[in-house]
Amino acid sequence: MESLALAKSKCKIKASVTTLEEREGLDFARSKYSKAEELFIRAQDIYARIGDDLGRENVLKGLGDLYYAKSEYLDAEECFVRAQDIYDRIGNDLGRANTLQGLAELCFSQCKISQAKELFIQAQEIYTSIGDEQGRANTLRGLGDLYRIQSKYSGAEESLVQAKEIYARTCDDMGRANTLRGLGDINCLRSRYSRAEEFLIQAQELGDIYPTPPTYPEAEECFVREQEICTRAKIERVVASPLQGPGDLGCIQSKYSEAEELFIQAQEMSMHMINELGRANTLSVLGTLCCVQSKYSKAEQSMVQAQEIYARIGNDLGRANTLQGLGELYYIRSKYPEAEESFIEAQEIYSRIGIERGRANTLRGIGDVYRSRSQYSKAEESFIEAQEIDFRIGNDPGRANALQGLGDLYCIQSKTSDAKEFFIQAQEIYSRIGNEQGRANTLRGLGDLYRIHSQYCQAEESLLQALEICTRIGADLGQANAFKGLGELYYAPFRPSDAETSF
């Protein structure tokens, strides 16, 4: 009788966590799935058109998660596998681990236990190697649930306790609540009813674990398909960091019509110039403008030609600038080894000739490469050194970019307070100097941060502001990132694997 009474107590506690409002919130989130899918597909179309592999694979991962949430398992598996192939090709460890985690959850939902276990373990090994605490906690929780299904209660308890400790360290209350609930289930199954009740009460005390999302206004204009985006995509990342002339400045300030004019002039001039230095300079500008226009092959061809001329005539600054530009171009195309090589070669030249601004630019580029390759300690070191140089020489745009890079890095590492602090600092500088693209980037970063911590109103406000800015200045990549963020916002907090356990 005591067992039955305590089991009923357990059920009562679980029921109290799941309120009518939370059920309505889950229904609301599901009603947004079609909107989320539309936003992901729009983002994917842009990423595909501008050749951004990393963006494409991230959207494929997002679509996989969405289809999984909708129980459309075949579509989910196809997206995860396609994303995994791209992550493998470009060597993105974090992406690989995330898709392995997604595939593991998918297999677990389909009761493919041995496959799920293998995938969880593979994901966990990668998360451990790159120091991703949140990822480790998620795989440990998945393994805990899997072992519980297999009645391997000791293994389940060990995994969930480890996950709970990580979630506590990273301030993830939803993760903690889910592991506490899992531990309650295990102890109930092992007839440890007082322990079960203790864990379930702790889960309840964490509060509104599945908060109802805000009542979103009927802002259909945000979802209605925008006018066809310009034939020539205007990517916000301009490759020539040390400004070479008005063409570069025009691009950075989003004055794309000026850049278009200079593109045509440079194209004509490069065909007729005899002067080697002038030809190299023109080819360098032409490469920059081709990159802004998403013409990556032409951009690379122009920069390589410029680089060869600068090397032949012994112009070190020109060489360093085009190497920096090539590094940015390779990074955009997810060619990380080539990007790293170009940045390091440029940095060596800048150091030798004493160009501090150039050094800071290459350090930021190297930081981006390391972050994308999940080499977080190296990325942090590069961004901090760049930020110190930019501060010393008074380079506000560069300093803001380094702070933004640190914010993105700490967000990935679940260092929430540090990430928010750096995003806000970067945003203040971008606002002061009138850099709209920079403002949009920090708003996107803050939106992602708020979403992760279930601050849905703030997340939506930040992402919509970012989308508005990117639409106004014609920044395709920024629009795609904002669409992806909004898509994740409208469904991610209510994955069935988490939310339905509370019913």
Side-chain angles (χ1 to χ4, degrees), residues 10 23 113 120 156 173 197-198 234 246 253 262 277 404:
K10 168 184 176 254
R23 288 176 181 272
I113 304 300
F120 277 132
D173 283 350
E197 188 173 19
E198 181 185 335
K234 301 154 188 157
Q253 294 176 332
L262 287 167
L277 179 59
Q404 171 75 25

Side-chain angles (χ1 to χ4, degrees), residues 132-152:
D132 188 318
E133 289 283 89
Q134 192 73 24
R136 270 191 68 220
N138 292 338
T139 53
L140 283 164
R141 182 159 68 89
L143 284 166
D145 289 339
L146 187 147
Y147 291 140
R148 176 172 55 82
I149 294 294
Q150 292 182 304
S151 302
K152 297 180 180 178

Side-chain angles (χ1 to χ4, degrees), residues 313-347:
I313 65 177
N315 186 312
D316 280 339
L317 180 59
R319 273 189 68 212
N321 289 342
T322 49
L323 282 166
Q324 167 74 12
L326 281 166
E328 292 285 351
L329 176 61
Y330 292 138
Y331 174 76
I332 288 170
R333 302 181 79 181
S334 302
K335 296 181 177 181
Y336 299 138
E338 294 93 333
E340 184 179 4
E341 184 180 343
S342 294
F343 283 135
I344 288 172
E345 196 175 342
Q347 189 182 35

Side-chain angles (χ1 to χ4, degrees), residues 350-471:
Y350 285 133
S351 297
R352 191 178 71 246
I353 64 179
I355 304 296
E356 288 287 89
R357 182 174 178 143
R359 272 189 65 220
N361 289 333
T362 52
L363 282 165
R364 282 196 306 276
I366 291 167
D368 285 334
V369 170
Y370 287 146
R371 184 185 60 215
S372 298
R373 297 172 80 175
S374 306
Q375 296 173 284
Y376 298 141
S377 58
K378 288 184 177 181
E380 184 179 28
E381 185 180 338
S382 295
F383 286 130
I384 288 171
E385 191 176 349
Q387 200 266 138
E388 288 171 352
I389 294 170
D390 286 321
F391 180 78
R392 189 171 67 244
I393 67 176
N395 179 11
D396 279 341
R399 188 166 166 243
N401 290 340
L403 289 166
Q404 171 75 25
L406 283 166
D408 287 333
L409 176 65
Y410 291 139
C411 189
I412 290 169
Q413 294 178 293
S414 301
K415 297 179 180 178
T416 307
S417 57
D418 289 337
K420 185 175 180 181
E421 180 185 344
F422 284 118
F423 282 140
I424 289 170
Q425 285 183 43
Q427 191 177 37
E428 287 170 356
I429 297 172
Y430 286 135
S431 297
R432 190 177 73 244
I433 65 177
N435 186 322
E436 288 287 86
Q437 184 59 66
R439 276 189 62 225
N441 290 340
T442 53
L443 284 164
R444 186 264 312 154
L446 284 166
D448 288 341
L449 203 62
Y450 291 137
R451 175 180 55 78
I452 289 165
H453 286 272
S454 305
Q455 295 174 298
Y456 301 122
C457 289
Q458 295 98 315
E460 185 186 37
E461 183 181 352
S462 295
L463 289 166
L464 287 174
Q465 283 183 51
L467 180 61
E468 187 273 327
I469 292 170
C470 291
T471 302

Side-chain angles (χ1 to χ4, degrees), residues 52 105 149 167 208-209 226 293 318 409 421 428 464 486:
D52 186 328
E105 291 175 357
I149 294 294
Y167 285 133
D208 196 7
I209 305 305
E226 301 284 341
Q293 306 261 334
L409 176 65
E421 180 185 344
E428 287 170 356
L464 287 174
L486 285 165

